[in-house]
Amino acid sequence: MSENKTAPTNVNPREFITAVPHRTRRADSEVLLRMMEEVSGQPATMWGPTIVGFGTYHYKYDSGREGDAAAIGFSPRTANLALYGLTIAPSAKDLLLRLGKHKLGASCLYVNKLADTDLGALRQLALDGYRHMMDEVHHPA
């Protein structure tokens, strides 16, 4: 059984964000931190060296691989902001049409800067993604 290599750390997420060298990424990270704390009701936790996560869920694949991961989160990268857990909820497809400039990866959403996005759509993506990961996927009725 393989475990997730990205685990929670004791690093303070606010200190991590303060150290982000790119001014726009740093400011956008502060907005995302507040937004994701608000929609999840969870404090920020660093997952590995660069992911700021909110909430935790347990996953188990048919292969036997299992572990814990952040329900939603983000990483301020050099080229963009990587957002995790926001594209999996059924409502995501329609919200992404409203979001504005973005790219999709295998499991994440990339935006260059929040100024290029509809923050209302982004907030709803975060809320729906969090609820989906916590309620529907990993705690079914």
Side-chain angles (χ1 to χ4, degrees):
M1 169 173 57
S2 176
E3 293 286 325
N4 187 353
K5 294 178 185 174
T6 305
T9 72
N10 291 324
V11 174
N12 182 318
R14 285 174 171 77
E15 289 177 12
F16 166 73
I17 290 170
T18 299
V20 170
H22 190 282
R23 183 183 347 211
T24 301
R25 290 262 191 286
R26 185 172 54 250
D28 286 352
S29 294
E30 291 169 358
V31 170
L32 288 170
L33 180 113
R34 287 189 302 273
M35 177 190 294
M36 290 187 176
E37 275 186 338
E38 192 174 295
V39 301
S40 70
Q42 300 295 316
T45 300
M46 289 301 301
W47 286 76
T50 62
I51 297 173
V52 180
F54 304 84
T56 304
Y57 74 95
H58 188 78
Y59 63 85
K60 184 172 184 177
Y61 298 125
D62 292 339
S63 67
R65 179 182 164 98
E66 66 180 291
D68 296 313
I72 59 173
F74 67 92
S75 180
R77 297 183 176 176
T78 302
N80 52 38
L81 293 163
L83 306 167
Y84 303 97
L86 277 61
T87 62
I88 194 159
S91 60
K93 186 176 179 180
D94 290 335
L95 288 166
L96 288 169
L97 294 173
R98 290 185 23 217
L99 182 61
K101 190 174 178 181
H102 69 278
K103 292 181 182 177
L104 294 175
S107 64
C108 42
L109 169 68
Y110 299 101
V111 299
N112 289 330
K113 55 188 174 188
L114 294 183
D116 292 340
T117 67
D118 175 330
L119 288 179
L122 184 61
R123 179 183 172 79
Q124 195 63 49
L125 281 163
L127 178 61
D128 293 355
Y130 180 78
R131 287 179 175 166
H132 184 76
M133 295 307 289
M134 298 305 291
D135 299 334
E136 298 174 29
V137 175
H138 302 283
H139 303 286

